[in-house]
Amino acid sequence: MKLSFVFTIASLNLATVLASPLPPLPPLPPLSLPPAPPAGAPLGITVPLARRHTFLRESDGTADLDALRSHVSYVRVKYARGFAAYKQNTGVDHPLGKNLTIPSAAKRGSGDILLDDYNTGGKLWGGDIYVGTPPKKFSVDFDTGSSDLFLPSVSCGYSCEGHATYDPSSSSTAEDRHMTFTLAYGDGSTVTGEQYTDTVTMAGLTATNQVLGAATQYSIGLSNDTFPPDGLLGMAFESLSEYNAPPVFENLIQERQTDEPRFAFWLSTDADESELYIGGVNTARYDGDFTYAPVTTRAYWQVGLEEIAVNNEPVVELVPSIIDTGTTLIIGDESSVSRIYAQIPGSTDIGNGLYTFPCNTQVDLALTFGGESFSVSPNDFNYGPLTEGSDMCVGGVSYNPDFDFWVIGDTFLKGVYTVFDLEGPKVGFASLVSKRATADY
């Protein structure tokens, strides 16, 4: 009997194609999978969650420029520390990390976990997990652009007010790794915490001896009013782990909790309908077959982006990309993004990675993976008027001058059903059963 598990989540705020001149990548090692689980293995459960905050627009419907700018900055620091973790774990530079460094105030030392002091500024796709024995419930952001699980410690104090806190002394399965970590923020402040192993359960599936971090302080960017989840659960590969330990999903596979080493996201804009599907795909959510793109480096979910077209005109070709549920926008290099908006008459670069375009323009944007073109909804591309009454709107494609790769976030992912498959590994996209008429921010 094939076992699949559904984990329903809510929307929160918050080639092998590579572009020249990147060097050729080493071959990926084969993924070692355990045998299928025995008959009678426990089934998962569906967990309905309520929508919390979104920070993409102001109350009057205009674009929240501060949040969007913060988000672009946040993504840069997020990837800088991911590349640093990759080098520390593997001893080599990540092929995409040559232009990104961590700010000097946040240099990583041995065992450091780096967080930045930026509001993430976008939507988070989160749900509940249970940690410890007896289990305690925590809400987390599910992020395919990172690999670690962290929660606020019971010792966190006022900076974690409003968040559920993790107390290892209350769990009979908690073990202290006797390894400290440092949370380094963009303003130069640092705090320390402890790494533990404990039991972690999601959708009825349990990973034992899971490494997690218990932080003793959260920055303002992780305060409850700007970051509603209690913590974050990374779903990328172990080579990115700043604990140098297997992520939760890899542990679930190794412990035979599911017989399919894949998970899938349906990021609906309708309240309370999004879901993370663990151990397979939910056939009720997509039409037709999947189009797959192979992962080129087992770190991020990195695949070749073959083409970006605007109004049926190809403007970007053969670039590396990372599929990231923890990023709201589509973010690329400055030159390529400039060419995209050059195809949209009246567009203007307003700085900090953002462009505006005439609100009455219906932008036809399409991305090609695995030989198949997938369109971005004009509603998903449009992040709202620049100011109240303005005829200029903010676009959902932005740039970072330090990037020579692309990060594909929710602006694209809300329009497709996406499966992340460790067997390969590969990422697959399929058309949704029904297209949304409007976006819900």
Side-chain angles (χ1 to χ4, degrees), residues 2 24 26 42 89 123 139 141 146 177 196 222-223 254 268 288 304 311 383 405 431:
K2 180 175 287 188
N89 292 339
K123 286 191 174 185
S139 60
D141 163 35
S146 64
R177 297 188 82 197
Y196 293 88
L222 295 177
S223 64
Q254 293 302 323
S268 172
N311 301 325
Y383 276 76
F405 60 95
S431 299

PDB file of all heavy atoms in Angstrom, residues 2 24 26 42 89 123 139 141 146 177 196 222-223 254 268 288 304 311 383 405 431:
ATOM      1  N   LYS A   2       0.611   2.139  -0.899  1.00  0.00           N
ATOM      2  CA  LYS A   2       1.387   3.380  -0.968  1.00  0.00           C
ATOM      3  C   LYS A   2       0.865   4.360   0.071  1.00  0.00           C
ATOM      4  O   LYS A   2      -0.333   4.582   0.194  1.00  0.00           O
ATOM      5  CB  LYS A   2       1.282   3.989  -2.359  1.00  0.00           C
ATOM      6  CG  LYS A   2       2.061   5.279  -2.496  1.00  0.00           C
ATOM      7  CD  LYS A   2       2.038   5.794  -3.906  1.00  0.00           C
ATOM      8  CE  LYS A   2       2.915   4.939  -4.778  1.00  0.00           C
ATOM      9  NZ  LYS A   2       3.078   5.495  -6.119  1.00  0.00           N
ATOM     10  N   PRO A  24      31.596  23.753 -14.791  1.00  0.00           N
ATOM     11  CA  PRO A  24      30.796  22.531 -14.737  1.00  0.00           C
ATOM     12  C   PRO A  24      30.713  22.007 -13.321  1.00  0.00           C
ATOM     13  O   PRO A  24      31.631  22.169 -12.524  1.00  0.00           O
ATOM     14  CB  PRO A  24      31.577  21.562 -15.646  1.00  0.00           C
ATOM     15  CG  PRO A  24      32.980  22.091 -15.652  1.00  0.00           C
ATOM     16  CD  PRO A  24      32.843  23.589 -15.551  1.00  0.00           C
ATOM     17  N   PRO A  26      30.178  19.074 -10.323  1.00  0.00           N
ATOM     18  CA  PRO A  26      30.491  17.663 -10.110  1.00  0.00           C
ATOM     19  C   PRO A  26      29.226  16.835 -10.113  1.00  0.00           C
ATOM     20  O   PRO A  26      28.152  17.332  -9.792  1.00  0.00           O
ATOM     21  CB  PRO A  26      31.145  17.674  -8.710  1.00  0.00           C
ATOM     22  CG  PRO A  26      30.590  18.881  -8.045  1.00  0.00           C
ATOM     23  CD  PRO A  26      30.408  19.903  -9.130  1.00  0.00           C
ATOM     24  N   PRO A  42       1.933   4.192  10.435  1.00  0.00           N
ATOM     25  CA  PRO A  42       0.935   5.192  10.791  1.00  0.00           C
ATOM     26  C   PRO A  42       0.674   6.159   9.643  1.00  0.00           C
ATOM     27  O   PRO A  42       1.578   6.561   8.918  1.00  0.00           O
ATOM     28  CB  PRO A  42       1.589   5.924  11.980  1.00  0.00           C
ATOM     29  CG  PRO A  42       3.054   5.676  11.816  1.00  0.00           C
ATOM     30  CD  PRO A  42       3.158   4.317  11.233  1.00  0.00           C
ATOM     31  N   ASN A  89      30.495  23.092   5.164  1.00  0.00           N
ATOM     32  CA  ASN A  89      30.138  21.675   5.217  1.00  0.00           C
ATOM     33  C   ASN A  89      30.865  20.830   4.182  1.00  0.00           C
ATOM     34  O   ASN A  89      31.154  19.652   4.423  1.00  0.00           O
ATOM     35  CB  ASN A  89      28.633  21.506   5.030  1.00  0.00           C
ATOM     36  CG  ASN A  89      27.834  22.063   6.196  1.00  0.00           C
ATOM     37  OD1 ASN A  89      28.359  22.224   7.294  1.00  0.00           O
ATOM     38  ND2 ASN A  89      26.571  22.368   5.957  1.00  0.00           N
ATOM     39  N   LYS A 123       5.032  36.817   2.026  1.00  0.00           N
ATOM     40  CA  LYS A 123       4.198  35.762   2.566  1.00  0.00           C
ATOM     41  C   LYS A 123       5.056  34.589   2.996  1.00  0.00           C
ATOM     42  O   LYS A 123       6.047  34.265   2.360  1.00  0.00           O
ATOM     43  CB  LYS A 123       3.198  35.287   1.515  1.00  0.00           C
ATOM     44  CG  LYS A 123       2.057  36.251   1.270  1.00  0.00           C
ATOM     45  CD  LYS A 123       0.998  35.586   0.438  1.00  0.00           C
ATOM     46  CE  LYS A 123      -0.226  36.477   0.306  1.00  0.00           C
ATOM     47  NZ  LYS A 123      -1.311  35.803  -0.411  1.00  0.00           N
ATOM     48  N   SER A 139       4.182  26.628  15.477  1.00  0.00           N
ATOM     49  CA  SER A 139       3.951  26.996  14.081  1.00  0.00           C
ATOM     50  C   SER A 139       5.289  27.346  13.443  1.00  0.00           C
ATOM     51  O   SER A 139       6.140  27.971  14.078  1.00  0.00           O
ATOM     52  CB  SER A 139       2.993  28.187  13.979  1.00  0.00           C
ATOM     53  OG  SER A 139       3.515  29.321  14.652  1.00  0.00           O
ATOM     54  N   ASP A 141       7.429  28.285   9.502  1.00  0.00           N
ATOM     55  CA  ASP A 141       7.453  28.568   8.076  1.00  0.00           C
ATOM     56  C   ASP A 141       8.163  27.424   7.379  1.00  0.00           C
ATOM     57  O   ASP A 141       9.264  27.027   7.785  1.00  0.00           O
ATOM     58  CB  ASP A 141       8.189  29.887   7.840  1.00  0.00           C
ATOM     59  CG  ASP A 141       8.620  30.079   6.397  1.00  0.00           C
ATOM     60  OD1 ASP A 141       7.872  29.645   5.500  1.00  0.00           O
ATOM     61  OD2 ASP A 141       9.705  30.659   6.179  1.00  0.00           O
ATOM     62  N   SER A 146      16.153  26.852   2.653  1.00  0.00           N
ATOM     63  CA  SER A 146      17.070  26.640   3.771  1.00  0.00           C
ATOM     64  C   SER A 146      16.874  25.214   4.279  1.00  0.00           C
ATOM     65  O   SER A 146      15.996  24.494   3.801  1.00  0.00           O
ATOM     66  CB  SER A 146      16.823  27.667   4.890  1.00  0.00           C
ATOM     67  OG  SER A 146      15.534  27.502   5.453  1.00  0.00           O
ATOM     68  N   ARG A 177      23.242  18.764  22.520  1.00  0.00           N
ATOM     69  CA  ARG A 177      24.407  18.400  21.700  1.00  0.00           C
ATOM     70  C   ARG A 177      25.704  19.006  22.243  1.00  0.00           C
ATOM     71  O   ARG A 177      26.774  18.732  21.724  1.00  0.00           O
ATOM     72  CB  ARG A 177      24.219  18.877  20.251  1.00  0.00           C
ATOM     73  CG  ARG A 177      23.053  18.263  19.511  1.00  0.00           C
ATOM     74  CD  ARG A 177      23.102  18.675  18.037  1.00  0.00           C
ATOM     75  NE  ARG A 177      24.017  17.851  17.251  1.00  0.00           N
ATOM     76  CZ  ARG A 177      24.482  18.187  16.063  1.00  0.00           C
ATOM     77  NH1 ARG A 177      24.182  19.366  15.527  1.00  0.00           N
ATOM     78  NH2 ARG A 177      25.290  17.372  15.405  1.00  0.00           N
ATOM     79  N   TYR A 196      20.046  21.110  20.080  1.00  0.00           N
ATOM     80  CA  TYR A 196      19.487  19.917  20.726  1.00  0.00           C
ATOM     81  C   TYR A 196      19.075  18.912  19.661  1.00  0.00           C
ATOM     82  O   TYR A 196      18.913  19.251  18.489  1.00  0.00           O
ATOM     83  CB  TYR A 196      18.256  20.277  21.568  1.00  0.00           C
ATOM     84  CG  TYR A 196      18.557  21.124  22.774  1.00  0.00           C
ATOM     85  CD1 TYR A 196      18.581  22.521  22.680  1.00  0.00           C
ATOM     86  CD2 TYR A 196      18.825  20.532  24.003  1.00  0.00           C
ATOM     87  CE1 TYR A 196      18.863  23.305  23.784  1.00  0.00           C
ATOM     88  CE2 TYR A 196      19.112  21.312  25.115  1.00  0.00           C
ATOM     89  CZ  TYR A 196      19.127  22.689  24.998  1.00  0.00           C
ATOM     90  OH  TYR A 196      19.417  23.457  26.098  1.00  0.00           O
ATOM     91  N   LEU A 222      11.911  39.186  13.657  1.00  0.00           N
ATOM     92  CA  LEU A 222      11.274  37.927  14.021  1.00  0.00           C
ATOM     93  C   LEU A 222      10.265  38.106  15.147  1.00  0.00           C
ATOM     94  O   LEU A 222       9.810  37.128  15.726  1.00  0.00           O
ATOM     95  CB  LEU A 222      12.338  36.895  14.424  1.00  0.00           C
ATOM     96  CG  LEU A 222      13.296  36.461  13.323  1.00  0.00           C
ATOM     97  CD1 LEU A 222      14.347  35.507  13.878  1.00  0.00           C
ATOM     98  CD2 LEU A 222      12.550  35.802  12.167  1.00  0.00           C
ATOM     99  N   SER A 223       9.909  39.358  15.456  1.00  0.00           N
ATOM    100  CA  SER A 223       8.896  39.593  16.485  1.00  0.00           C
ATOM    101  C   SER A 223       7.543  39.111  15.986  1.00  0.00           C
ATOM    102  O   SER A 223       7.311  38.976  14.780  1.00  0.00           O
ATOM    103  CB  SER A 223       8.834  41.073  16.844  1.00  0.00           C
ATOM    104  OG  SER A 223       8.418  41.842  15.728  1.00  0.00           O
ATOM    105  N   GLN A 254      14.613   8.519   6.018  1.00  0.00           N
ATOM    106  CA  GLN A 254      15.522   7.517   6.560  1.00  0.00           C
ATOM    107  C   GLN A 254      14.867   6.675   7.652  1.00  0.00           C
ATOM    108  O   GLN A 254      15.244   5.511   7.845  1.00  0.00           O
ATOM    109  CB  GLN A 254      16.790   8.192   7.088  1.00  0.00           C
ATOM    110  CG  GLN A 254      17.645   8.830   6.005  1.00  0.00           C
ATOM    111  CD  GLN A 254      18.089   7.835   4.943  1.00  0.00           C
ATOM    112  OE1 GLN A 254      18.384   6.684   5.248  1.00  0.00           O
ATOM    113  NE2 GLN A 254      18.126   8.282   3.698  1.00  0.00           N
ATOM    114  N   SER A 268      -2.145  28.197  -2.643  1.00  0.00           N
ATOM    115  CA  SER A 268      -3.359  28.888  -3.063  1.00  0.00           C
ATOM    116  C   SER A 268      -3.426  30.269  -2.445  1.00  0.00           C
ATOM    117  O   SER A 268      -2.927  30.506  -1.345  1.00  0.00           O
ATOM    118  CB  SER A 268      -4.588  28.080  -2.642  1.00  0.00           C
ATOM    119  OG  SER A 268      -5.774  28.798  -2.865  1.00  0.00           O
ATOM    120  N   GLY A 288      -2.935  17.042 -15.781  1.00  0.00           N
ATOM    121  CA  GLY A 288      -1.908  16.591 -16.707  1.00  0.00           C
ATOM    122  C   GLY A 288      -0.694  16.007 -16.019  1.00  0.00           C
ATOM    123  O   GLY A 288      -0.737  15.577 -14.862  1.00  0.00           O
ATOM    124  N   GLY A 304      17.819  24.377 -13.883  1.00  0.00           N
ATOM    125  CA  GLY A 304      18.031  25.270 -15.007  1.00  0.00           C
ATOM    126  C   GLY A 304      16.744  25.968 -15.412  1.00  0.00           C
ATOM    127  O   GLY A 304      15.716  25.314 -15.638  1.00  0.00           O
ATOM    128  N   ASN A 311       5.448  38.934 -23.006  1.00  0.00           N
ATOM    129  CA  ASN A 311       4.588  39.138 -24.179  1.00  0.00           C
ATOM    130  C   ASN A 311       5.090  38.300 -25.366  1.00  0.00           C
ATOM    131  O   ASN A 311       5.183  38.776 -26.501  1.00  0.00           O
ATOM    132  CB  ASN A 311       4.523  40.622 -24.542  1.00  0.00           C
ATOM    133  CG  ASN A 311       3.979  41.461 -23.395  1.00  0.00           C
ATOM    134  OD1 ASN A 311       3.113  41.016 -22.648  1.00  0.00           O
ATOM    135  ND2 ASN A 311       4.504  42.660 -23.238  1.00  0.00           N
ATOM    136  N   TYR A 383       1.958  43.897  -7.643  1.00  0.00           N
ATOM    137  CA  TYR A 383       1.981  44.012  -6.186  1.00  0.00           C
ATOM    138  C   TYR A 383       1.334  45.302  -5.678  1.00  0.00           C
ATOM    139  O   TYR A 383       1.518  45.672  -4.536  1.00  0.00           O
ATOM    140  CB  TYR A 383       3.416  43.875  -5.672  1.00  0.00           C
ATOM    141  CG  TYR A 383       3.794  42.419  -5.515  1.00  0.00           C
ATOM    142  CD1 TYR A 383       4.101  41.649  -6.633  1.00  0.00           C
ATOM    143  CD2 TYR A 383       3.779  41.796  -4.278  1.00  0.00           C
ATOM    144  CE1 TYR A 383       4.403  40.309  -6.507  1.00  0.00           C
ATOM    145  CE2 TYR A 383       4.083  40.461  -4.149  1.00  0.00           C
ATOM    146  CZ  TYR A 383       4.390  39.717  -5.272  1.00  0.00           C
ATOM    147  OH  TYR A 383       4.676  38.376  -5.149  1.00  0.00           O
ATOM    148  N   PHE A 405      22.248  34.618 -10.524  1.00  0.00           N
ATOM    149  CA  PHE A 405      21.311  33.508 -10.592  1.00  0.00           C
ATOM    150  C   PHE A 405      19.927  34.056 -10.277  1.00  0.00           C
ATOM    151  O   PHE A 405      19.765  35.233  -9.968  1.00  0.00           O
ATOM    152  CB  PHE A 405      21.699  32.396  -9.615  1.00  0.00           C
ATOM    153  CG  PHE A 405      21.743  32.833  -8.174  1.00  0.00           C
ATOM    154  CD1 PHE A 405      20.649  32.660  -7.336  1.00  0.00           C
ATOM    155  CD2 PHE A 405      22.890  33.429  -7.644  1.00  0.00           C
ATOM    156  CE1 PHE A 405      20.694  33.069  -6.011  1.00  0.00           C
ATOM    157  CE2 PHE A 405      22.948  33.836  -6.324  1.00  0.00           C
ATOM    158  CZ  PHE A 405      21.843  33.668  -5.508  1.00  0.00           C
ATOM    159  N   SER A 431       0.246  22.048 -14.115  1.00  0.00           N
ATOM    160  CA  SER A 431      -0.797  23.072 -14.129  1.00  0.00           C
ATOM    161  C   SER A 431      -1.802  22.812 -13.018  1.00  0.00           C
ATOM    162  O   SER A 431      -2.113  21.657 -12.700  1.00  0.00           O
ATOM    163  CB  SER A 431      -1.512  23.078 -15.480  1.00  0.00           C
ATOM    164  OG  SER A 431      -0.614  23.378 -16.527  1.00  0.00           O
TER     165      SER A 431
END
